[in-house]
mmCIF file of all heavy atoms in Angstrom:
data_model
loop_
_atom_site.group_PDB
_atom_site.id
_atom_site.type_symbol
_atom_site.label_atom_id
_atom_site.label_comp_id
_atom_site.label_asym_id
_atom_site.label_seq_id
_atom_site.Cartn_x
_atom_site.Cartn_y
_atom_site.Cartn_z
ATOM 1 N N ASP A 327 -77.244 105.279 29.133
ATOM 2 C CA ASP A 327 -76.786 105.445 27.757
ATOM 3 C C ASP A 327 -77.454 104.437 26.833
ATOM 4 O O ASP A 327 -77.915 104.781 25.737
ATOM 5 C CB ASP A 327 -75.262 105.350 27.667
ATOM 6 C CG ASP A 327 -74.706 104.102 28.322
ATOM 7 O OD1 ASP A 327 -75.475 103.386 28.998
ATOM 8 O OD2 ASP A 327 -73.501 103.839 28.166
ATOM 9 N N ARG A 328 -77.544 103.186 27.274
ATOM 10 C CA ARG A 328 -78.203 102.166 26.452
ATOM 11 C C ARG A 328 -79.708 102.422 26.354
ATOM 12 O O ARG A 328 -80.311 102.244 25.292
ATOM 13 C CB ARG A 328 -77.937 100.773 27.031
ATOM 14 C CG ARG A 328 -78.631 99.669 26.249
ATOM 15 C CD ARG A 328 -78.194 98.287 26.704
ATOM 16 N NE ARG A 328 -79.012 97.250 26.112
ATOM 17 C CZ ARG A 328 -78.865 96.793 24.869
ATOM 18 N NH1 ARG A 328 -77.924 97.298 24.106
ATOM 19 N NH2 ARG A 328 -79.647 95.838 24.397
ATOM 20 N N MET A 329 -80.336 102.833 27.457
ATOM 21 C CA MET A 329 -81.784 103.099 27.430
ATOM 22 C C MET A 329 -82.114 104.242 26.465
ATOM 23 O O MET A 329 -83.125 104.212 25.766
ATOM 24 C CB MET A 329 -82.294 103.440 28.832
ATOM 25 C CG MET A 329 -82.176 102.317 29.852
ATOM 26 S SD MET A 329 -82.962 100.775 29.348
ATOM 27 C CE MET A 329 -81.504 99.748 29.078
ATOM 28 N N ILE A 330 -81.252 105.256 26.421
ATOM 29 C CA ILE A 330 -81.464 106.373 25.489
ATOM 30 C C ILE A 330 -81.458 105.852 24.052
ATOM 31 O O ILE A 330 -82.315 106.214 23.235
ATOM 32 C CB ILE A 330 -80.381 107.452 25.681
ATOM 33 C CG1 ILE A 330 -80.610 108.190 27.002
ATOM 34 C CG2 ILE A 330 -80.397 108.445 24.523
ATOM 35 C CD1 ILE A 330 -79.487 109.141 27.369
ATOM 36 N N GLN A 331 -80.503 104.982 23.736
ATOM 37 C CA GLN A 331 -80.437 104.418 22.387
ATOM 38 C C GLN A 331 -81.687 103.605 22.065
ATOM 39 O O GLN A 331 -82.268 103.730 20.980
ATOM 40 C CB GLN A 331 -79.204 103.537 22.263
ATOM 41 C CG GLN A 331 -77.880 104.274 22.386
ATOM 42 C CD GLN A 331 -76.722 103.287 22.340
ATOM 43 O OE1 GLN A 331 -76.503 102.619 21.337
ATOM 44 N NE2 GLN A 331 -75.990 103.183 23.430
ATOM 45 N N ILE A 332 -82.100 102.768 23.010
ATOM 46 C CA ILE A 332 -83.273 101.905 22.791
ATOM 47 C C ILE A 332 -84.522 102.742 22.546
ATOM 48 O O ILE A 332 -85.293 102.494 21.602
ATOM 49 C CB ILE A 332 -83.474 100.978 24.008
ATOM 50 C CG1 ILE A 332 -82.363 99.923 24.053
ATOM 51 C CG2 ILE A 332 -84.852 100.303 23.962
ATOM 52 C CD1 ILE A 332 -82.339 99.112 25.328
ATOM 53 N N VAL A 333 -84.734 103.747 23.389
ATOM 54 C CA VAL A 333 -85.939 104.569 23.271
ATOM 55 C C VAL A 333 -85.897 105.404 21.993
ATOM 56 O O VAL A 333 -86.897 105.535 21.282
ATOM 57 C CB VAL A 333 -86.095 105.464 24.515
ATOM 58 C CG1 VAL A 333 -87.178 106.516 24.314
ATOM 59 C CG2 VAL A 333 -86.422 104.606 25.738
ATOM 60 N N ASP A 334 -84.736 105.964 21.695
ATOM 61 C CA ASP A 334 -84.602 106.797 20.498
ATOM 62 C C ASP A 334 -84.871 105.984 19.235
ATOM 63 O O ASP A 334 -85.636 106.402 18.344
ATOM 64 C CB ASP A 334 -83.204 107.406 20.458
ATOM 65 C CG ASP A 334 -82.982 108.278 19.230
ATOM 66 O OD1 ASP A 334 -83.789 109.188 19.004
ATOM 67 O OD2 ASP A 334 -82.008 108.041 18.499
ATOM 68 N N ILE A 335 -84.259 104.813 19.142
ATOM 69 C CA ILE A 335 -84.443 103.973 17.965
ATOM 70 C C ILE A 335 -85.897 103.516 17.843
ATOM 71 O O ILE A 335 -86.490 103.565 16.763
ATOM 72 C CB ILE A 335 -83.499 102.750 18.028
ATOM 73 C CG1 ILE A 335 -82.060 103.189 17.774
ATOM 74 C CG2 ILE A 335 -83.913 101.682 17.021
ATOM 75 C CD1 ILE A 335 -81.042 102.090 17.957
ATOM 76 N N THR A 336 -86.495 103.089 18.952
ATOM 77 C CA THR A 336 -87.877 102.595 18.901
ATOM 78 C C THR A 336 -88.853 103.697 18.512
ATOM 79 O O THR A 336 -89.800 103.460 17.757
ATOM 80 C CB THR A 336 -88.283 101.987 20.255
ATOM 81 O OG1 THR A 336 -87.327 100.994 20.645
ATOM 82 C CG2 THR A 336 -89.659 101.340 20.163
ATOM 83 N N SER A 337 -88.624 104.917 18.999
ATOM 84 C CA SER A 337 -89.525 106.010 18.636
ATOM 85 C C SER A 337 -89.479 106.263 17.132
ATOM 86 O O SER A 337 -90.514 106.526 16.494
ATOM 87 C CB SER A 337 -89.173 107.287 19.407
ATOM 88 O OG SER A 337 -87.942 107.840 18.978
ATOM 89 N N ARG A 338 -88.277 106.159 16.550
ATOM 90 C CA ARG A 338 -88.166 106.366 15.103
ATOM 91 C C ARG A 338 -88.775 105.202 14.322
ATOM 92 O O ARG A 338 -89.386 105.404 13.268
ATOM 93 C CB ARG A 338 -86.694 106.574 14.726
ATOM 94 C CG ARG A 338 -86.159 107.920 15.191
ATOM 95 C CD ARG A 338 -84.743 108.193 14.721
ATOM 96 N NE ARG A 338 -83.765 107.482 15.538
ATOM 97 C CZ ARG A 338 -82.885 106.626 15.058
ATOM 98 N NH1 ARG A 338 -82.875 106.331 13.775
ATOM 99 N NH2 ARG A 338 -82.008 106.033 15.846
ATOM 100 N N LEU A 339 -88.631 103.979 14.842
ATOM 101 C CA LEU A 339 -89.242 102.821 14.183
ATOM 102 C C LEU A 339 -90.769 102.930 14.187
ATOM 103 O O LEU A 339 -91.429 102.639 13.184
ATOM 104 C CB LEU A 339 -88.810 101.537 14.886
ATOM 105 C CG LEU A 339 -87.355 101.100 14.707
ATOM 106 C CD1 LEU A 339 -87.040 99.920 15.617
ATOM 107 C CD2 LEU A 339 -87.086 100.730 13.251
ATOM 108 N N VAL A 340 -91.334 103.338 15.321
ATOM 109 C CA VAL A 340 -92.794 103.495 15.414
ATOM 110 C C VAL A 340 -93.268 104.597 14.466
ATOM 111 O O VAL A 340 -94.266 104.440 13.759
ATOM 112 C CB VAL A 340 -93.227 103.802 16.861
ATOM 113 C CG1 VAL A 340 -94.709 104.151 16.925
ATOM 114 C CG2 VAL A 340 -92.938 102.605 17.761
ATOM 115 N N SER A 341 -92.549 105.715 14.460
ATOM 116 C CA SER A 341 -92.911 106.820 13.566
ATOM 117 C C SER A 341 -92.916 106.351 12.113
ATOM 118 O O SER A 341 -93.846 106.647 11.352
ATOM 119 C CB SER A 341 -91.923 107.984 13.735
ATOM 120 O OG SER A 341 -91.965 108.510 15.050
ATOM 121 N N ASN A 342 -91.879 105.617 11.726
ATOM 122 C CA ASN A 342 -91.792 105.137 10.348
ATOM 123 C C ASN A 342 -92.891 104.141 10.026
ATOM 124 O O ASN A 342 -93.510 104.194 8.950
ATOM 125 C CB ASN A 342 -90.430 104.490 10.098
ATOM 126 C CG ASN A 342 -89.285 105.500 10.121
ATOM 127 O OD1 ASN A 342 -89.513 106.688 9.921
ATOM 128 N ND2 ASN A 342 -88.082 105.041 10.382
ATOM 129 N N ALA A 343 -93.171 103.215 10.957
ATOM 130 C CA ALA A 343 -94.182 102.178 10.711
ATOM 131 C C ALA A 343 -95.573 102.793 10.563
ATOM 132 O O ALA A 343 -96.333 102.427 9.670
ATOM 133 C CB ALA A 343 -94.171 101.154 11.853
ATOM 134 N N LEU A 344 -95.913 103.733 11.429
ATOM 135 C CA LEU A 344 -97.252 104.336 11.376
ATOM 136 C C LEU A 344 -97.379 105.270 10.179
ATOM 137 O O LEU A 344 -98.436 105.338 9.544
ATOM 138 C CB LEU A 344 -97.540 105.091 12.672
ATOM 139 C CG LEU A 344 -97.679 104.233 13.930
ATOM 140 C CD1 LEU A 344 -97.899 105.104 15.152
ATOM 141 C CD2 LEU A 344 -98.838 103.231 13.784
ATOM 142 N N SER A 345 -96.330 106.011 9.871
ATOM 143 C CA SER A 345 -96.383 106.927 8.730
ATOM 144 C C SER A 345 -96.427 106.144 7.415
ATOM 145 O O SER A 345 -97.144 106.506 6.472
ATOM 146 C CB SER A 345 -95.173 107.866 8.725
ATOM 147 O OG SER A 345 -95.186 108.703 9.872
#
Side-chain angles (χ1 to χ4, degrees):
D327 52 351
R328 178 171 171 79
M329 296 305 110
I330 288 172
Q331 295 176 64
I332 289 170
V333 169
D334 179 54
I335 288 174
T336 306
S337 70
R338 289 185 281 123
L339 289 172
V340 172
S341 298
N342 292 338
L344 293 177
S345 296

